[in-house]
């Protein structure tokens, strides 16, 4: 299933994509797409609904983040061997874990706001893992049992605030609008191998990232298990799993960063695409 949320920001309704790519209204079945509806039992009930009987949503509504009400937006740094190489960083011995502010979360096609004074705003296409059942001290063997599905994420980053302004990556990663997610949550039954997904990011129509989840250092199973050792993962929580090479910071001989008016387009095979326009902070 491809679950989504549509409508004005703060007033989204739950939806599901039908076989023809049309949005069907799920609000008569569930109140919203939160962690409470992502358990295997709840997803099975949604899957049993006759999608064709649901009201078709007219037009092209705004798409919001496909899940709401999470407690944690966890991110993993330097998790692709080829991305670590382009930045000159050593391969991590353990996952690099940081948190993104929940204020960063937004719809997949909403504008991304460049922070005041920023000169190093960067793009990062990422596979996002959405948790379906509580995960605490889980094993790698059982880790995927706690996953509801996957989505496209953009871990937008301000590199000066991340690396040059003292302490922790969180500051450079957590600006408002720096976490576009979606367009939909694809349930894990439709993603048989999350470690074999092609992914891309274009800026103004020019391909910048062209990678695959095959080059992850720590796979989805490892990440869910590892993070659950230090952070209890609740239903609806999201893990951004790292980015492949091609970020602006890694461009040679001179890094390249985003400016107002530019457009990012990114996607992952089977999970859809998203697009954001960069705007200057007011």
């Amino acid at each position: 299933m491809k679950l989504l949320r549509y409508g004005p920001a703060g007033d989204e309704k739950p939806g599901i994509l039908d076989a023809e790519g049309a949005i069907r209204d799920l609000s008569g079945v569930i109140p919203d797409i939160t962690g409470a509806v992502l358990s295997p039992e709840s997803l099975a009930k949604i899957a049993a609904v006759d999608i064709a009987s649901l009201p078709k949503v007219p037009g092209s509504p705004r798409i919001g983040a496909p899940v709401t009400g999470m407690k944690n937006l966890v991110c993993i740094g330097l998790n692709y061997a080829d991305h670590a190489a382009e930045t000159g960083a050593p391969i991590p011995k353990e996952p690099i874990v940081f948190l993104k502010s929940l204020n960063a979360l937004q719809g997949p096609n909403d504008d991304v706001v460049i922070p005041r004074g920023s000169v190093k705003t960067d793009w990062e296409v990422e596979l996002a893992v959405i948790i379906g059942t509580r995960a605490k001290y889980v094993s790698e063997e059982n880790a995927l049992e706690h996953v509801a599905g996957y989505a496209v994420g953009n871990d937008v980053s301000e590199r000066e605030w991340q690396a040059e302004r003292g302490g922790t990556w969180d500051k450079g990663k957590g600006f408002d609008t720096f976490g576009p997610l979606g367009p939909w949550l694809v349930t894990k039954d439709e993603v048989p191998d999350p470690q074999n997904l092609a992914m891309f990011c274009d800026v103004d129509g020019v391909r910048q990232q062209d990678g695959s989840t095959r080059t992850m250092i720590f796979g989805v199973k490892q990440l869910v298990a590892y993070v659950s050792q230090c952070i209890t993962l609740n239903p609806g929580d999201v893990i951004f799993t790292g980015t492949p090479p091609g970020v602006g910071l890694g461009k040679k001989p001179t890094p390249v960063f985003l400016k107002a008016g530019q457009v990012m387009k990114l996607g992952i095979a089977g999970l859809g695409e998203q697009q954001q326009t960069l705007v200057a902070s007011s």
Side-chain angles (χ1 to χ4, degrees), residues 31-47:
D32 204 346
I33 300 175
T34 64
V37 304
L38 295 181
S39 68
E41 297 77 16
S42 180
L43 290 176
K45 290 180 181 179
I46 296 172

Side-chain angles (χ1 to χ4, degrees), residues 17-281:
L17 212 65
D18 69 17
E20 285 71 46
I23 300 173
R24 300 281 182 160
D25 183 9
L26 265 180
S27 58
V29 180
I30 55 174
D32 204 346
I33 300 175
T34 64
V37 304
L38 295 181
S39 68
E41 297 77 16
S42 180
L43 290 176
K45 290 180 181 179
I46 296 172
V49 173
D50 178 11
I51 295 178
S53 70
L54 298 174
K56 185 179 290 187
V57 178
S60 300
R62 169 190 173 271
I63 304 299
V67 63
T68 188
M70 71 285 294
K71 294 183 178 180
N72 295 296
L73 183 49
V74 182
C75 300
I76 309 298
L78 294 175
N79 192 36
Y80 283 67
D82 36 10
H83 171 53
E86 76 173 342
T87 62
I91 300 296
K93 295 181 180 179
E94 294 189 41
I96 296 172
V97 178
F98 60 94
L99 299 175
K100 221 171 171 67
S101 167
L102 295 180
N103 286 333
L105 191 72
Q106 66 165 19
N109 304 313
D110 295 341
D111 291 345
V112 168
V113 179
I114 297 177
R116 290 184 184 179
S118 169
V119 293
K120 294 185 178 181
T121 297
D122 204 349
W123 57 86
E124 291 191 14
V125 60
E126 305 205 2
L127 172 67
V129 177
I130 301 172
I131 301 299
T133 58
R134 185 175 182 269
K136 184 177 180 66
Y137 298 129
V138 303
S139 66
E140 290 183 21
E141 180 182 5
N142 298 324
L144 293 187
E145 296 176 7
H146 298 273
V147 173
Y150 304 93
V152 181
N154 188 355
D155 179 21
V156 185
S157 308
E158 211 298 331
R159 303 300 189 184
E160 182 182 28
W161 278 90
Q162 177 186 354
E164 302 171 33
R165 299 290 293 266
T168 75
W169 287 11
D170 303 57
K171 292 185 297 183
K173 300 282 192 170
F175 285 98
D176 293 355
T177 76
F178 269 28
L181 184 68
W184 40 71
L185 181 164
V186 181
T187 51
K188 65 181 177 183
D189 58 292
E190 294 193 9
V191 187
D193 185 2
Q195 304 308 147
N196 189 28
L197 301 175
M199 54 206 310
F200 77 92
C201 178
D202 297 343
V203 178
D204 289 343
V206 177
R207 184 61 43 95
Q208 301 293 344
Q209 293 183 275
D210 188 3
S212 170
T213 56
R214 290 192 305 270
T215 66
M216 275 189 187
I217 298 166
F218 305 102
V220 173
K221 291 180 180 179
Q222 292 170 290
L223 293 176
V224 172
Y226 184 90
V227 173
S228 79
Q229 308 305 307
C230 56
I231 298 172
T232 298
L233 294 168
N234 297 283
D237 284 355
V238 179
I239 303 175
F240 278 37
T241 58
T243 197
V247 299
L249 179 66
K251 299 298 181 184
K252 303 292 190 297
T254 305
V256 177
F257 298 108
L258 294 163
K259 299 177 181 178
Q262 292 189 294
V263 175
M264 296 179 284
K265 182 177 181 180
L266 51 150
I268 299 177
L271 303 184
E273 298 181 355
Q274 53 178 240
Q275 179 172 299
Q276 303 98 31
T277 298
L278 280 301
V279 299
S281 176

